Amino acid sequence: MKKRELTGAYARGLYHACGIDDVEDKPLVGIANSWSELVPGHIHLGEVGAAVAEGVRAAGGIPLAFGTMALCDGIVQGRGMQAVLPSRDLIAASVELTARAYGFDALICLASCDKIVPGMLMAAARLDLPTLFVTGGLMAEGWWGERRLVASDVKEAIGRANRGEITLAALSEIERAACPGPGVCNMMGTANTMCVAVEAAGLSLPGNATVEAIDPQSGEISMDLRSLARSAGARAVEALASGVSFRDVVTAAVLRDLVAVTQAIGGSTNLVLHLGAIAAELGHTLTLEDWDRIGRETPLLVKLKPASSRSVSDLRRAGGVRALLKELSPQLDLCRPTAYGSTMARVVSEAEGRGLLEGVISSRADPLAPTGGIAVLYGNLAPAGAVIKASGVDLAMMHHVGPARVFDCEEDVRECLLGGRVQPGDVLVVRYEGPRGGPGMRELSLPAAILVGMGLADSVAMVTDGRFSGATRGPCVGHVCPEAALGGPLAALCDGDVIEIDIPARTLSVRLSDDEIEARMRQAVPPSREIPAGFLRLYAQRVGPASGGAVLC
């Protein structure tokens, strides 16, 4: 016997116990599957993973599936949101270490939601294997009477119920109707923004970002999603022959293109964190200055729920990501390989015609706005920058001046809102919620949505060193850097200080002198906050600023 055969006997025996033979004769394809009973976007991924494995076997590979954690941002809001952004790093580490330990030849990543997709992208960047993604498809639209609903409508309904506009019974009906079954929440939140970015990068097959998760007639996983999953399994094996690895597909130029795509669709501000973190893994930089420059060059072509009445299913009906890329193509580099053996130029050339795009994807010649959906603000409150989803802001609030109402945590601002103690004109400042101060940079989209539901989005603004979501609309400024816990000027604010938010001018400032801010900072006392022993404590010690992607260092 050959030495390799002798020394591999132990592993072969253990693989045999798993029902796997011929491991030294066929390529090993790792299938990172984030199936979970805790996340609606992932609850069906077990079956999707089985379809991927079928494709791998059919193409002559050996599928080796393993699991990762997955958290639902929506479910944990108001409960354990501090754990969500840190989970991105654990997911990345679990995929990376499993792949290194088992020596996979190729990788397929199954994920749908907010931190899971970017965590797997970070791992793929470290491993640089031939890599494909399968995202889990869209949750069906819900209906309440004649009104079409998605998940973000539930959050806004909380505010409507609190002000007496709807009854508690109606709220109960809305919460059940808006989320009818498995799939990605049918709005342009972080999950769908990431799924669009993955397809636009050429990492998932055409149509994957906007495919239906469940067939509305049978209630089973849609045939289109099953077909995409099988094809992805086969293409991963075929990619080994071509030698195209993750870093061949995701270059610095592609990252800049993904910023443009995010800007064009009015996507989630969380992409500022996630694309920055992926860039760091690849050895590139993606700065707030890049986001601002590209945003100024990119027209807004799409507005989807909650920023409009359209859902992501409407984007599918309009031709999906391919149609969007075709309209945006003059500013993109499409002469690049995909992970599945084509070029993006060829993929885009197969996009469906303009006739389907009316009302969903605007033309470059007649955009919804001349600049992209995310703006970067600077000023004496944000010396290192802050971000806002400008495409979700009412025109009347593009420039707002008002008195500060200062809170040291999310719970306090939420209680103030629900208690009816917010006045038109206020600027709600929520500090010590950054990556280190939180720790974990909690998402404040629930109080932001309550503000909208209470009818205050055209008169009240929010400013925080925490973060928001693609599902946020209204004048909500996040990622303020430096964060308060690291000596950022938010720590100097007091109730009544006059804050000015000027989105067209890209400024965020308080009407205080530099000397006054410095004097107050010397007196600032951060709130006492016990961080539990474990990963969150380690995270608080090692996480970098939001402006750099909140990466561990």
Side-chain angles (χ1 to χ4, degrees):
M1 296 180 69
K2 297 179 181 179
K3 183 177 181 181
R4 177 172 179 268
E5 293 173 336
L6 283 170
T7 57
Y10 190 35
R12 290 195 301 271
L14 293 169
Y15 268 126
H16 179 76
C18 297
I20 302 168
D21 292 310
D22 303 322
V23 291
E24 292 176 348
D25 301 322
K26 298 177 181 180
L28 304 181
V29 180
I31 302 175
N33 194 333
S34 51
W35 170 85
S36 170
E37 291 186 344
L38 305 175
V39 187
H42 294 234
I43 196 167
H44 60 306
L45 291 185
E47 292 183 61
V48 177
V52 171
E54 291 173 11
V56 171
R57 291 190 193 95
I62 296 178
L64 299 175
F66 62 100
T68 73
M69 69 178 295
L71 302 178
C72 175
D73 285 45
I75 290 175
V76 306
Q77 282 183 20
R79 296 178 175 84
M81 180 55 77
Q82 287 172 319
V84 174
L85 184 58
S87 75
R88 183 187 70 178
D89 295 275
L90 291 177
I91 292 162
S94 69
V95 174
E96 175 205 356
L97 295 177
T98 302
R100 292 194 192 284
Y102 281 82
F104 297 148
D105 299 299
L107 182 68
I108 302 174
C109 297
L110 274 70
S112 299
C113 294
D114 297 27
K115 309 305 170 289
I116 302 93
V117 175
M120 290 188 176
L121 285 165
M122 291 165 66
R126 297 171 188 172
L127 294 164
D128 197 27
L129 297 170
T131 304
L132 271 77
F133 274 69
V134 178
T135 55
L138 295 174
M139 182 185 292
E141 299 157 304
W143 291 91
W144 185 56
E146 298 297 316
R147 183 178 176 186
R148 183 166 56 168
L149 299 176
V150 300
S152 59
D153 290 310
V154 179
K155 292 189 288 186
E156 294 186 8
I158 295 170
R160 295 171 62 201
N162 189 66
R163 67 187 294 200
E165 183 180 328
I166 60 173
T167 65
L168 292 178
L171 175 61
S172 180
E173 292 173 4
I174 289 170
E175 68 186 61
R176 294 181 64 83
C179 303
V184 181
C185 296
N186 206 323
M187 59 191 182
M188 194 46 73
T190 306
N192 273 314
T193 309
M194 284 304 318
C195 292
V196 168
V198 165
E199 184 177 332
L203 291 167
S204 65
L205 293 174
N208 192 175
T210 54
V211 69
E212 291 179 309
I214 301 298
D215 183 280
Q217 303 301 320
S218 67
E220 303 293 330
I221 293 176
S222 72
M223 291 304 297
D224 287 341
L225 179 55
R226 287 186 186 276
S227 178
L228 282 166
R230 290 192 196 96
S231 294
R235 295 292 182 91
V237 177
E238 295 165 6
L240 287 167
S242 69
V244 175
S245 70
F246 183 86
R247 291 179 179 232
D248 295 322
V249 175
V250 184
T251 63
V254 169
L255 289 171
R256 291 191 293 270
D257 281 354
L258 297 185
V259 172
V261 169
T262 303
Q263 292 281 17
I265 61 176
S268 172
T269 51
N270 278 320
L271 270 284
V272 177
L273 296 172
H274 299 327
L275 292 183
I278 295 160
E281 297 289 354
L282 293 168
H284 306 311
T285 57
L286 194 62
T287 66
L288 291 182
E289 289 77 10
D290 293 324
W291 277 90
D292 185 60
R293 174 182 54 79
I294 295 170
R296 291 176 186 270
E297 299 168 352
T298 305
L300 181 68
L301 302 182
V302 177
K303 286 180 76 169
L304 302 175
K305 275 182 170 283
S308 80
S309 61
R310 300 283 191 174
S311 71
V312 185
S313 290
D314 287 317
L315 180 60
R316 180 188 71 246
R317 298 174 189 120
V321 174
R322 282 172 288 184
L324 170 69
L325 295 180
K326 186 172 185 178
E327 196 60 42
L328 200 58
S329 60
Q331 73 179 88
L332 304 179
D333 175 17
L334 298 178
C335 296
R336 52 183 172 86
T338 67
Y340 46 83
S342 183
T343 66
M344 285 307 299
R346 180 175 178 182
V347 170
V348 171
S349 72
E350 298 170 352
E352 297 179 6
R354 287 279 328 155
L356 291 176
L357 308 186
E358 299 304 326
V360 180
I361 304 175
S362 297
S363 69
R364 287 180 61 87
D366 186 24
L368 297 171
T371 57
I374 295 175
V376 180
L377 312 182
Y378 294 94
N380 65 356
L381 274 184
V387 299
I388 185 169
K389 184 172 176 175
S391 58
V393 179
D394 188 279
L395 286 176
M397 293 295 287
M398 296 297 281
H399 180 217
H400 179 71
V401 179
R405 297 282 302 281
V406 183
F407 307 91
D408 286 347
C409 66
E410 177 190 359
E411 289 80 2
D412 289 349
V413 73
R414 194 166 66 235
E415 180 182 340
C416 184
L417 278 164
L418 293 176
R421 300 192 299 275
V422 175
Q423 300 299 316
D426 285 348
V427 179
L428 309 179
V429 177
V430 191
R431 61 192 180 187
Y432 299 107
E433 288 287 9
R436 289 205 181 185
M441 200 179 185
R442 286 196 287 183
E443 183 177 284
L444 274 64
S445 62
L446 184 57
I450 293 171
L451 185 150
V452 171
M454 294 177 67
L456 296 171
D458 60 353
S459 63
V460 174
M462 292 184 69
V463 176
T464 182
D465 49 11
R467 58 190 178 88
F468 293 105
S469 166
T472 298
R473 62 185 176 110
C476 298
V477 182
H479 303 210
V480 174
C481 289
E483 62 175 289
L486 293 180
L490 286 187
L493 292 181
C494 298
D495 284 349
D497 289 339
V498 178
I499 294 177
E500 181 174 7
I501 302 167
D502 192 336
I503 298 173
R506 300 295 198 264
T507 59
L508 172 65
S509 59
V510 59
R511 293 179 179 174
L512 295 173
S513 69
D514 291 345
D515 289 343
E516 177 65 16
I517 292 173
E518 290 178 10
R520 290 192 190 181
M521 288 300 301
R522 288 193 290 270
Q523 303 298 320
V525 179
S528 177
R529 188 168 292 172
E530 179 66 25
I531 303 173
F535 187 75
L536 276 180
R537 187 174 293 178
L538 174 65
Y539 187 86
Q541 295 168 352
R542 303 300 299 269
V543 68
S547 56
V551 297
L552 294 181
C553 55

